[in-house]
Amino acid sequence: MATTTKLLSRIVGAAALGFMALTGTVQAQSWQPTKPIDFVIMAGPGGGADQIARFLQSVAEKKKLTSRPLVPNNKGGGSGAEALIALNTASDPNHTILVTLNSFFTTPLRQPNLGIDVMKFTPIAMMGVDPFVLWVHKDSGIKTFEEWLEKVKSTDDYVMGGTGKGQEDSIVIAFLQKAFGIKVKYIPYKGGGAVAKDLAGKQIMATVNNPAETKGFYASGDVVPLLVFSDERMPAFPDVPTVKEKGKDFSYYNQRAVVGAPGQSPEAAAYYQNLFKTIYNTEEWQNYMKTESLSPLWMTPEQQKDYWKVQIERHKELLADMAK
Amino acid sequence: MEILSLLSTGLLEALQPVNLLLIIIGVTLGLFIGMMPGLGSVNGVAILLPITFLVPPASAIIFLAAIYYGAMYGGAISSITLGIPGASTAVATTFDGRPLALQGKASLALVTAAVASFTGGTVSIVLFTIFAPPLASVALSFGSPEIFALMLLAFATFVGLGGDDIPKTVLSICLGLVFAAVGFDEISGAPRLVFFDMTGFMRGINFLVLAIGVYGIGEMLWTIDSTRGKITQTEAKISAKGVLRDARTSLKLGAKGMSIGSLLGFFVGILPAAGATPGSLMAYGVAKLSSRDPESYGKGNPDGVAAPESANNSASTGSMLPMLTLGIPGSPTTAILLGGMVIWGLTPGPRLFSDQPAFVWGLIGSFYVSNFFALVINLCFIPLFIWMLRMPFTILAPMIFVLSVVGGYAATLSMHDVWLMLIFGLGAFFLRKFDYPLAPAVLAIVLGPIAEPTLRQSLLLSSGDPSIFFTRPIAGPITVIAIILILLPLFKKLRDRFATAPAKGT
């Protein structure tokens, strides 16, 4: 039934186009959204992905870049599986886009039964990559990474929190455990916001979080950064060493990318690619990247697809390492 | 004293003509948004967020907060007049609000809801004004074990009640918990209980779908069945004098519910992850539990309207606190407000109170003003709502049906949920025929998604040792009280047996 209706509407559309071509009124009318755009966020409220999505929406609103609003829709359940399913089964792929993080790669790998092939998704924009930082509460008295290692080694009850097994922070924590021979207890939460709050409330002892998520508590002096997982020292924390300085060749970033639902029409995809390119080039976004310590990594849609391939392979290895 | 001067500047800010106008528009809009089943404060705030770019940030959040407030008042109206919860926060209001309306006391129920909302709002704003910064640290001291203990307490208030049949209550809770577990497992990320492999179930069961099914469709079927199609008309009179008299009666009869609701609601509201819906349900449970006459609950006790209504307003103010001071939203609506603040260039967090005093105190000032106007506007509209009730049931029933279907669809925009809602409605009707209480199931589907992850996080923390719920200073006492409440009916039974046994012997 649905397919016949779709087919019918296509035929009607084609006929209308043909008619317009005949009458010579056809213009280079580009695709425009006809209803509010479902702006799915692959994380719960308050986390890094959520903050970015809301910021992107705000820029689009402020500059009136879309004729229909972007409506943020948090779907953080199941390490982002909820969001991926929502995109995969979207009833209107042309009005459904997703703000992703790396669970875009890991969740389909960890749960093949979901039947999600991310290579079928539509590349739209790579807005930047977000580095990770190791944090502890100031009351722990720990000032350096070495002190932290000592502390973790001295107890078998060292509790860290994160956004779930197989999520970005757990990959970094798994790396730390393996590379430095430590063991921690890992508690999963629904989003980076909840993790940051429980670190500030001393419910957990340390976290690996994106700077944006912990910024407020860093500014108030409640939490202390010990180590960054970027390739070079971060401008926001010039005194904090990188993991490379500690002799381990490792860096890990969270992708902040926008993708479209599978089956999105090329016209719609071109519309969103343009939209997010415009947003990317605004002063607001460029400033945001600076204040929130994001690194720029702009890519064309083709480059994005290649990047996805590379990331899927890398995460296969990282996850396999974790399982060992 | 410093607080007073800050507050007075805040009040002056809120009373500026533009802001005052925004408050009045916001509260009125919110009232009607809250009334529409399926549309709650979340939708209202989300839809109207873009409009706020036209005004300065302080006015923008004042406007959105006014909508939020208005919706808290409005949700009660359809709960009482039609028996369909206008918003998830007003589900508990149907428990006693609807019976009151059927007894021809709709005006009393509506006035009680308005007065209770005002009381809850006022109490929470005062608490907010005085204790905001220190309370933020209270919210931080609540980790997973504490929140689970609190959820346990909420369940216990529903089990430990004398009135209802205990096994049936427990069964009802279990049913709700099963529905709450549908969808993705938050901890492992695996899908579970996906019935018939339908992708609709992967999203989980929306609480509002269940609530509208049970209270909208189920209630309609129940009324048709119990009146056997006889045209019934609810007696309802309107007069200004009547409204005043009802206000006095509600203050007298609902005072206890209001005080419980105001305090409990605020407290639950400030905990991130909870929010106004659990707050109102818990307030109802506690009011019923502490009542001398729990039997009268569910049959039209004004306290049963006062408690949840004061609690949801109180909680909505309370949930602003973690949003402003920690940057963590306490409810879905505040999550959207938080997004708004980011748009306006304000960073919520521990430093907001010191960095942006004008904004924060303007907002707090606007709470006082919105709350007052919400009461006045609501009272003015009550005659209109009563008039609606004078329609014969033959007209009202199709209206309820249509509103329920629209409400079920509006929540997620999927037909799957409409069918689900109809099934829940039918199921609720039969369960009610067999005397199963339905409120516990509704409570379970709200609290289940909070209780389950916190339970599992706690047990991970303690490596599977349940003593974590007893040894922590805050979680311990709460858990003990919860367990005592759960065992209370058992003790009563034992006592009764011992009391009657000797009597038989002689």
Side-chain angles (χ1 to χ4, degrees):
Chain A
M1 189 51 211
T3 43
T4 27
T5 345
K6 253 188 205 157
L7 197 66
L8 258 175
S9 69
R10 255 186 224 159
I11 292 170
V12 172
L17 266 180
F19 178 74
M20 290 202 320
L22 275 176
T23 50
T25 51
V26 90
Q27 285 175 345
Q29 261 290 347
S30 56
W31 184 88
Q32 287 282 336
T34 50
K35 60 177 199 192
I37 302 154
D38 194 6
F39 196 36
V40 184
I41 303 163
M42 218 172 168
D50 182 57
Q51 293 178 12
I52 285 178
R54 288 177 195 281
F55 188 84
L56 292 174
Q57 179 221 9
S58 78
V59 176
E61 292 278 3
K62 220 196 256 167
K63 307 221 155 214
K64 302 202 179 13
L65 298 175
T66 54
S67 52
R68 295 286 183 277
L70 292 163
V71 182
N73 183 358
N74 285 99
K75 288 194 184 290
S79 301
E82 194 188 352
L84 290 170
I85 298 250
L87 269 255
N88 229 13
T89 58
S91 56
D92 187 354
N94 285 351
H95 290 92
T96 312
I97 55 175
L98 171 71
V99 180
T100 63
L101 33 156
N102 287 356
S103 40
F104 181 67
F105 308 116
T106 53
T107 300
L109 285 174
R110 290 173 57 237
Q111 294 184 45
N113 57 336
L114 293 176
I116 284 165
D117 177 7
V118 292
M119 292 311 289
K120 285 198 184 132
F121 284 54
T122 315
I124 289 177
M126 171 60 94
M127 304 303 291
V129 288
D130 212 344
F132 284 90
V133 178
L134 173 69
W135 305 92
V136 291
H137 196 277
K138 71 161 193 297
D139 291 357
S140 68
I142 297 169
K143 294 268 184 332
T144 65
F145 180 63
E146 283 72 25
E147 285 173 32
W148 182 74
L149 278 180
E150 230 168 86
K151 169 80 189 152
V152 180
K153 280 180 183 159
S154 70
T155 164
D156 3 301
D157 238 7
Y158 199 82
V159 180
M160 290 184 72
T163 50
K165 229 185 190 147
Q167 294 282 64
E168 300 77 7
D169 56 73
S170 75
I171 289 177
V172 176
I173 291 172
F175 158 80
L176 280 176
Q177 302 201 67
K178 215 171 112 184
F180 296 97
I182 50 172
K183 223 179 140 26
V184 301
K185 213 184 253 181
Y186 182 78
I187 313 288
Y189 287 86
K190 195 161 187 172
V195 177
K197 177 224 144 205
D198 263 14
L199 177 65
K202 291 188 267 184
Q203 305 294 338
I204 46 183
M205 302 170 189
T207 64
V208 170
N209 236 345
N210 294 125
E213 292 164 340
T214 316
K215 206 175 92 181
F217 299 111
Y218 173 65
S220 62
D222 288 322
V223 297
V224 183
L226 295 180
L227 190 69
V228 296
F229 297 89
S230 49
D231 289 304
E232 271 152 38
R233 286 195 181 202
M234 288 166 55
F237 314 107
D239 301 331
V240 181
T242 66
V243 67
K244 285 195 173 164
E245 290 171 40
K246 303 288 168 198
K248 309 282 173 189
D249 186 24
F250 179 86
S251 68
Y252 194 78
Y253 294 90
N254 211 345
Q255 76 159 0
R256 301 299 185 193
V258 182
V259 305
Q264 191 167 73
S265 75
E267 295 79 25
Y271 172 84
Y272 293 120
Q273 281 155 6
N274 255 324
L275 168 68
F276 283 97
K277 194 171 184 179
T278 316
I279 296 178
Y280 183 85
N281 287 324
T282 55
E283 212 189 312
E284 282 89 347
W285 178 253
Q286 293 297 328
N287 277 338
Y288 184 87
M289 286 206 290
K290 248 182 235 132
T291 55
E292 305 295 316
S293 314
L294 274 114
S295 310
L297 191 70
W298 183 257
M299 290 186 222
T300 63
E302 295 73 36
Q303 288 170 330
Q304 285 177 49
K305 279 231 159 172
D306 292 337
Y307 179 79
W308 294 358
K309 264 185 220 143
V310 173
Q311 287 297 320
I312 290 172
E313 288 312 312
R314 180 170 185 219
H315 280 97
K316 255 184 207 160
E317 283 168 29
L318 285 168
L319 289 174
D321 275 353
M322 247 178 107
K324 263 180 220 162
Chain B
M1 274 314 104
E2 199 201 339
I3 286 180
L4 278 182
S5 74
L6 285 166
L7 181 64
S8 55
T9 19
L11 275 172
L12 280 178
E13 168 89 29
L15 285 170
Q16 275 173 11
V18 180
N19 294 345
L20 198 60
L21 188 72
L22 283 172
I23 286 174
I24 295 175
I25 298 174
V27 164
T28 317
L29 272 176
L31 200 65
F32 283 93
I33 289 169
M35 250 175 77
M36 290 300 296
L39 276 186
S41 56
V42 182
N43 315 71
V45 170
I47 295 166
L48 294 166
L49 185 64
I51 297 177
T52 60
F53 299 122
L54 305 171
V55 292
S59 310
I61 198 160
I62 286 173
F63 179 58
L64 294 181
I67 296 173
Y68 191 19
Y69 246 89
M72 289 294 151
Y73 276 79
I77 293 160
S78 40
S79 295
I80 292 167
T81 52
L82 301 175
I84 320 171
S88 60
T89 48
V91 169
T93 313
T94 51
F95 299 165
D96 279 276
R98 180 67 179 153
L100 273 174
L102 289 176
Q103 294 158 21
K105 293 182 199 153
S107 152
L108 175 65
L110 286 169
V111 172
T112 306
V115 173
S117 293
F118 180 73
T119 315
T122 309
V123 169
S124 63
I125 304 161
V126 172
L127 289 174
F128 191 109
T129 313
I130 307 172
F131 298 115
L135 272 176
S137 58
V138 172
L140 277 182
S141 64
F142 264 69
S144 310
E146 285 75 25
I147 293 181
F148 177 73
L150 202 66
M151 293 300 120
L152 198 66
L153 185 65
F155 284 122
T157 55
F158 270 65
V159 176
L161 303 171
D164 298 321
D165 188 335
I166 302 289
K168 282 180 174 171
T169 306
V170 172
L171 200 90
S172 179
I173 287 182
C174 292
L175 202 64
L177 286 177
V178 170
F179 289 140
V182 171
F184 285 103
D185 172 5
E186 212 175 274
I187 297 217
S188 72
R192 58 182 182 189
L193 289 176
V194 181
F195 301 120
F196 315 111
D197 282 329
M198 288 166 80
T199 47
F201 285 111
M202 281 204 183
R203 283 198 310 264
I205 293 176
N206 187 311
F207 155 69
L208 211 56
V209 170
L210 179 95
I212 295 178
V214 169
Y215 291 100
I217 304 285
E219 174 75 31
M220 185 190 72
L221 291 174
W222 179 259
T223 313
I224 291 174
D225 180 66
S226 53
T227 59
R228 296 277 157 201
K230 221 174 28 185
I231 297 174
T232 45
Q233 220 167 330
T234 323
E235 264 181 72
K237 290 174 217 89
I238 333 153
S239 72
K241 225 187 190 172
V243 168
L244 279 178
R245 196 192 51 230
D246 285 337
R248 269 201 302 276
T249 322
S250 72
L251 274 178
K252 207 161 62 195
L253 294 178
K256 207 172 109 218
M258 281 178 217
S259 43
I260 291 172
S262 307
L263 294 173
L264 192 69
F266 182 75
F267 184 66
V268 174
I270 65 169
L271 299 176
T277 308
S280 62
L281 283 160
M282 286 169 75
Y284 182 86
V286 172
K288 183 173 175 183
L289 184 70
S290 61
S291 165
R292 255 188 238 133
D293 184 18
E295 295 280 341
S296 66
Y297 277 76
K299 297 185 183 106
N301 187 326
D303 252 346
V305 174
E309 272 308 306
S310 52
N312 69 24
N313 270 60
S314 188
S316 60
T317 311
S319 64
M320 297 269 179
L321 196 114
M323 177 191 85
L324 293 172
T325 56
L326 306 175
I328 295 160
S331 71
T333 313
T334 46
I336 296 173
L337 286 178
L338 186 71
M341 293 179 59
V342 176
I343 298 174
W344 307 317
L346 297 160
T347 313
R351 295 183 55 86
L352 186 75
F353 271 73
S354 48
D355 290 353
Q356 302 278 352
F359 170 82
V360 173
W361 289 98
L363 177 65
I364 295 176
S366 84
F367 290 162
Y368 286 91
V369 182
S370 326
N371 201 27
F372 173 75
F373 277 100
L375 177 73
V376 172
I377 292 170
N378 196 352
L379 286 178
C380 293
F381 275 116
I382 282 179
L384 178 75
F385 305 133
I386 304 264
W387 170 79
M388 220 158 58
L389 265 181
R390 292 164 97 197
M391 275 184 266
F393 194 68
T394 40
I395 294 175
L396 220 48
M399 254 174 68
I400 293 176
F401 184 76
V402 170
L403 280 175
S404 297
V405 170
V406 170
Y409 185 74
T412 52
L413 300 181
S414 106
M415 271 315 280
H416 171 85
D417 284 349
V418 176
W419 295 119
L420 206 60
M421 182 198 72
L422 293 175
I423 294 167
F424 281 138
L426 269 178
F429 171 70
F430 284 109
L431 281 178
R432 204 167 156 187
K433 275 254 153 204
F434 296 113
D435 275 334
Y436 280 88
L438 295 168
V442 173
L443 178 89
I445 201 173
V446 175
L447 301 187
I450 306 171
E452 191 210 326
T454 48
L455 170 66
R456 291 170 65 182
Q457 281 161 355
S458 311
L459 291 177
L460 279 170
L461 263 177
S462 67
S463 308
D465 183 0
S467 67
I468 186 167
F469 298 113
F470 298 97
T471 50
R472 292 173 54 122
I474 301 177
I478 304 178
T479 314
V480 170
I481 296 171
I483 289 175
I484 292 174
L485 280 179
I486 292 172
L487 295 178
L488 205 61
L490 201 71
F491 288 138
K492 267 190 196 151
K493 221 171 213 168
L494 283 175
R495 197 187 57 199
D496 290 349
R497 190 162 292 171
F498 277 117
T500 48
K504 262 182 207 162
T506 49

